[in-house]
Amino acid sequence: MNLKLNKLIARNFKGFKNYELETYGQDINVFGDNGTGKTSLYDAFLWVLFGKNSVDQATFDWKPLDKLGNEINHLETEVIAEIEVDGKATKLSRMTKEKWTKKRGSAVEMFDGHTTTYKIDDLTIKKKEYEEFLATLIDEDLFKLLTNVSYFPEKLKWQERRQTLIDMVGDVTDVDVIAENKELEPLKELIEERPADELKQLTEQQMNQINKDIKTIPDRIDEVDRGLPDISKLDKDELLKDKVNFENQIEKLRDKIAEVKNSDSVIRLKTEIAELRTYYRELELDHKEELEKQLQDILKEKETTETEVRETNAVLEEIKGNNSTVERAVSRKIQEAKELEDSRAKLLSHFYEIRDREMEGFEAHRTTCPTCGQDLPEAELLNIRYTYEKEVEAFNTNKDLELKENKEKGLAIAKHIETLKDEIDQLNSGLRTDLKVIADEEKDKERLTNRLKEIESEINKVREGQNPFVETEKAHDIKNQAAELQRQIDSGQSNVDGEVDEINQDINKAKDYLSKINDQLGEIDFHTRQSKRRTELIEQEQDLSVKYGELEQRLYLLEEFTRTKVNLLTDTINSRFKLVKFKLFEEQINGGLKETCEVTVDGNNYSTGLNNAMRINAGLDIINTLMDYYATYVPVFVDNAESINDLLEIDTQLITLSVSNHKNLRVEVA
């Protein structure tokens, strides 16, 4: 696409009252003193296209100013651009005018914003259609990139510059990079799984973590060393032998106690006592079952009655809960009705106040001149009276409206009060019905409760009439037999107890020795575990150091990969330009690489080492290449062109803006 500017007309735009710039699609040079409007031409061209100025501002001072620097109002600002796109002529127009309106009751017009009219070939269209038409010609961002010599090197972030260049030449593949530098062969499989930049980031994270882990290990080893017990005087094998000996000794002593306690006569007597106790429990259970059988029917009635009491309580709780909710609702509605009555009373009072309101008489108006005191002329008196009558008419109309509104509000409140009263009556009716149900349920509850008391009395009478098994003659006989057997055991028990006590003392001594042995064996085991842990930490430190070295080597290769890739990419990109070269990375102090995108000329950075003339030529060189890449050619404006003697040739329409002593703009064909 090839776009040329044939004519630009600026009317009431910035310092232009009515100015025409004719280029006929040719390169031109515009000369003029400071303030004559050179930059305004560029602003006007961008404004008619995108509504912005040359520094990409949508809000700027585009209106003409008077000598005091104030905006001149009630003017139409219009810019017309006659362009040629691939040989086809098109006229574009953007016209903005102020909107002034009179507020109700005011005789003075007030500024109320702007309206903008868009035209293509003199046909008025909507803003959206205008923008869509321009979008079919060229993207706004791309236009700024191609028409402004400083946009690419100064306005774009370095990341955007870098990506634009990569998009233009195509990125270098990982396979190309490794093929260029055989030293990078070990990265081939790794890069197949993960991109190089992600792999580099992951490697650095892993190295940082390993470094942190390595730094903690000496403290952990020192902690293990401080906790090691002194076992230099302990022999584990001897301790284990002693442990077995004392355990065997304790077992033998316990066997001896069992032999003492379990002589034949004592065992026989204890067996007989155990059999008597079993027989006693069986008889006691039979006796209890007989008693329960007698109570079965009456207990069943008790259970049924208790169930009915619980059900009655549940019904009562539900009804009472509902009543509480209804009572609260009634209370709220009564309060709401009272508040409405108060509002109604206030409305009625206000009604009488409005009704009695009167307009002051005409006599209260001045009919004489406030300065000289003479009677006003008849014509002015008629005008005053006419105004007064209009005021009376407006007063009465407003009064009628207020009375009507007051009455409507009063009727609405009265209707709402009646509705609330009906709702309160319905709720109270339901409460009275529920109170009757509650009374009936309370009577049933009282009847059932009384019956429960009667049943409890009957149960007690049945149980009091029966003797427990412990009081029966059979129970007394069994207890007497067991007591006699126990007396026979006790008569020979005193000698056994003394011997058992002596054996237990020997067992306790053996346990004390065994406890000390176990403590010493525990210290040996703890020392062994901690020593093993110390060895593991040392091995872990060695493994981490090896791993760190491997990662360090990988990081070196990844940085070499980046360096190789950037060199390939830089050579490819720089081959597209005549004057400028691009620096796509910077060497760091630590030997690493930092991505960047700096424009250079003869090794000098655009941002710090070039004068204005060289910057302009650098921008033209960049635009030339980008226009070829995008196959899009648009007019290029070069401001401050007086600072350069030899402009770089460019394959599109060039418009230079130069400072001169001319008080009015002078245009020359280049």
Side-chain angles (χ1 to χ4, degrees), residues 600-612:
T600 69
V601 177
D602 295 331
N604 297 310
N605 289 344
Y606 178 95
S607 58
T608 58
L610 299 183
N611 58 31
N612 189 57

Side-chain angles (χ1 to χ4, degrees), residues 253-442:
L253 290 171
R254 286 172 176 166
D255 291 341
K256 187 174 181 180
I257 290 175
E259 292 175 1
V260 172
K261 287 184 175 181
N262 296 326
S263 61
D264 290 341
S265 58
V266 172
I267 293 173
R268 179 179 55 78
L269 292 173
K270 288 183 177 181
T271 301
E272 291 182 10
I273 290 175
E275 291 173 350
L276 284 173
R277 288 174 177 169
T278 301
Y279 182 51
Y280 181 92
R281 284 193 295 272
E282 291 174 353
L283 293 177
E284 185 179 32
L285 183 60
D286 292 342
H287 186 79
K288 183 177 181 181
E289 289 177 353
E290 183 64 26
L291 293 178
E292 291 298 329
K293 188 176 181 181
Q294 296 176 14
L295 292 172
Q296 184 175 5
D297 293 338
I298 192 169
L299 289 173
K300 186 175 181 181
E301 182 184 357
K302 177 185 177 184
E303 182 179 355
T304 301
T305 305
E306 288 174 341
T307 301
E308 292 178 359
V309 169
R310 286 194 297 272
E311 292 173 350
T312 302
N313 283 333
V315 172
L316 281 171
E317 288 178 3
E318 182 179 0
I319 296 174
K320 288 178 179 180
N322 290 337
N323 275 6
S324 296
T325 302
V326 174
E327 286 172 353
R328 288 193 295 271
V330 169
S331 178
R332 287 195 300 271
K333 290 181 182 296
I334 290 172
Q335 179 63 27
E336 185 179 357
K338 181 178 179 303
E339 292 173 355
L340 289 172
E341 287 288 358
D342 292 342
S343 298
R344 185 181 180 192
K346 290 178 181 178
L347 281 173
L348 184 60
S349 174
H350 188 51
F351 178 86
Y352 291 130
E353 178 188 337
I354 298 169
R355 185 194 65 184
D356 296 338
R357 194 184 299 162
E358 295 293 340
M359 180 79 175
E360 62 182 355
F362 178 72
E363 292 75 11
H365 289 68
R366 295 182 61 88
T367 58
T368 60
C369 177
T371 303
C372 64
Q374 294 182 1
D375 292 338
L376 295 172
E378 185 64 27
E380 190 168 349
L381 286 174
L382 288 174
N383 187 42
I384 293 173
R385 180 173 291 279
Y386 175 76
T387 301
Y388 171 74
E389 289 173 355
K390 288 295 184 181
E391 290 175 353
V392 170
E393 181 181 350
F395 175 83
N396 290 332
T397 300
N398 185 58
K399 179 178 178 180
D400 291 341
L401 289 174
E402 287 191 54
L403 288 172
K404 182 181 178 182
E405 183 181 358
N406 184 285
K407 184 177 179 180
E408 289 175 351
K409 288 183 179 179
L411 290 173
I413 290 175
K415 184 177 180 180
H416 193 180
I417 291 172
E418 288 301 320
T419 301
L420 287 174
K421 287 181 178 179
D422 291 342
E423 292 175 353
I424 290 170
D425 290 341
Q426 290 178 5
L427 292 174
N428 283 331
S429 176
L431 284 174
R432 288 191 293 272
T433 301
D434 287 346
L435 289 175
K436 185 177 180 306
V437 174
I438 290 173
D440 292 341
E441 292 294 332
E442 290 285 2

Side-chain angles (χ1 to χ4, degrees), residues 1-3 42 45-46 49-50 52 56 134-149 151-152 156 164 167-168 622-636:
M1 190 271 288
N2 192 339
L3 186 154
Y42 191 18
F45 183 50
L46 292 175
L49 294 176
F50 307 112
K52 298 178 181 178
D56 205 29
L134 290 175
T136 62
L137 298 181
I138 187 170
D139 176 73
E140 180 181 348
D141 291 334
L142 179 58
F143 187 87
K144 290 183 289 188
L145 186 67
L146 299 179
T147 189
N148 187 339
V149 293
Y151 192 83
F152 183 90
L156 289 184
T164 300
D167 291 341
M168 183 175 66
I622 293 169
I623 286 176
N624 237 354
T625 302
L626 292 177
M627 283 187 178
D628 289 341
Y629 170 65
Y630 290 112
T632 302
Y633 302 87
V634 298
V636 175

Side-chain angles (χ1 to χ4, degrees), residues 373-606:
Q374 294 182 1
D375 292 338
L376 295 172
E378 185 64 27
E380 190 168 349
L381 286 174
L382 288 174
N383 187 42
I384 293 173
R385 180 173 291 279
Y386 175 76
T387 301
Y388 171 74
E389 289 173 355
K390 288 295 184 181
E391 290 175 353
V392 170
E393 181 181 350
F395 175 83
N396 290 332
T397 300
N398 185 58
K399 179 178 178 180
D400 291 341
L401 289 174
E402 287 191 54
L403 288 172
K404 182 181 178 182
E405 183 181 358
N406 184 285
K407 184 177 179 180
E408 289 175 351
K409 288 183 179 179
L411 290 173
I413 290 175
K415 184 177 180 180
H416 193 180
I417 291 172
E418 288 301 320
T419 301
L420 287 174
K421 287 181 178 179
D422 291 342
E423 292 175 353
I424 290 170
D425 290 341
Q426 290 178 5
L427 292 174
N428 283 331
S429 176
L431 284 174
R432 288 191 293 272
T433 301
D434 287 346
L435 289 175
K436 185 177 180 306
V437 174
I438 290 173
D440 292 341
E441 292 294 332
E442 290 285 2
K443 288 180 181 179
D444 284 345
K445 178 180 176 181
E446 183 179 2
R447 176 180 59 78
L448 292 170
T449 303
N450 291 335
R451 178 55 190 153
L452 275 177
K453 292 179 181 178
E454 293 174 358
I455 292 172
E456 287 291 346
S457 179
E458 293 174 8
I459 291 173
N460 291 334
K461 287 179 181 179
V462 171
R463 286 177 173 168
E464 288 173 359
Q466 297 176 337
N467 292 329
F469 178 72
V470 70
E471 296 179 2
T472 63
E473 183 178 354
K474 189 65 175 175
H476 286 301
D477 289 343
I478 294 174
K479 286 184 177 181
N480 290 334
Q481 293 178 39
E484 176 59 26
L485 292 173
Q486 186 62 46
R487 186 189 62 77
Q488 294 178 23
I489 292 173
D490 292 341
S491 62
Q493 191 70 33
S494 58
N495 294 332
V496 172
D497 290 343
E499 188 174 354
V500 168
D501 288 341
E502 291 178 0
I503 296 173
N504 279 329
Q505 290 177 9
D506 293 338
I507 289 175
N508 290 334
K509 290 179 182 179
K511 285 182 177 180
D512 290 340
Y513 285 117
L514 184 60
S515 177
K516 292 178 181 178
I517 291 172
N518 284 330
D519 290 343
Q520 292 173 336
L521 286 172
E523 289 183 358
I524 293 174
D525 289 342
F526 179 73
H527 189 281
T528 301
R529 290 195 304 273
Q530 290 298 90
S531 297
K532 182 180 179 182
R533 177 59 179 158
R534 188 180 191 280
T535 302
E536 290 173 351
L537 288 171
I538 293 172
E539 292 174 351
Q540 182 182 357
E541 185 177 21
Q542 294 171 348
D543 292 341
L544 289 173
S545 297
V546 172
K547 180 65 175 177
Y548 188 87
E550 293 172 353
L551 291 172
E552 200 169 31
Q553 176 62 21
R554 183 199 295 176
L555 182 61
Y556 165 76
L557 291 177
L558 287 168
E559 289 175 345
E560 281 298 308
F561 177 93
T562 302
R563 186 177 285 103
T564 303
K565 181 176 182 179
V566 169
N567 287 335
L568 286 173
L569 192 60
T570 302
D571 292 343
T572 304
I573 289 172
N574 288 338
S575 67
R576 296 290 189 95
F577 297 88
K578 298 177 181 178
L579 179 64
V580 302
K581 304 297 179 185
F582 289 92
K583 182 167 62 175
L584 299 182
F585 72 93
E586 293 179 352
E587 290 280 353
Q588 301 295 292
I589 296 176
N590 59 5
L593 294 176
K594 177 184 178 183
E595 290 185 349
T596 185
C597 185
E598 178 69 42
V599 181
T600 69
V601 177
D602 295 331
N604 297 310
N605 289 344
Y606 178 95

Side-chain angles (χ1 to χ4, degrees), residues 103-122:
K103 302 296 182 182
R104 194 170 188 179
S106 174
V108 180
E109 285 188 330
M110 302 294 291
F111 176 68
D112 194 22
H114 299 89
T115 60
T116 303
T117 302
Y118 304 88
K119 293 181 182 180
I120 297 179
D121 294 331
D122 297 323

Side-chain angles (χ1 to χ4, degrees), residues 48 78-81 90-95 116-126 130 133:
V48 70
E78 182 179 25
V79 176
I80 300 171
T90 300
K91 184 195 293 185
L92 303 175
S93 168
R94 181 190 295 261
M95 191 269 287
T116 303
T117 302
Y118 304 88
K119 293 181 182 180
I120 297 179
D121 294 331
D122 297 323
L123 176 64
T124 301
I125 60 175
K126 295 180 180 179
Y130 189 79
F133 173 78

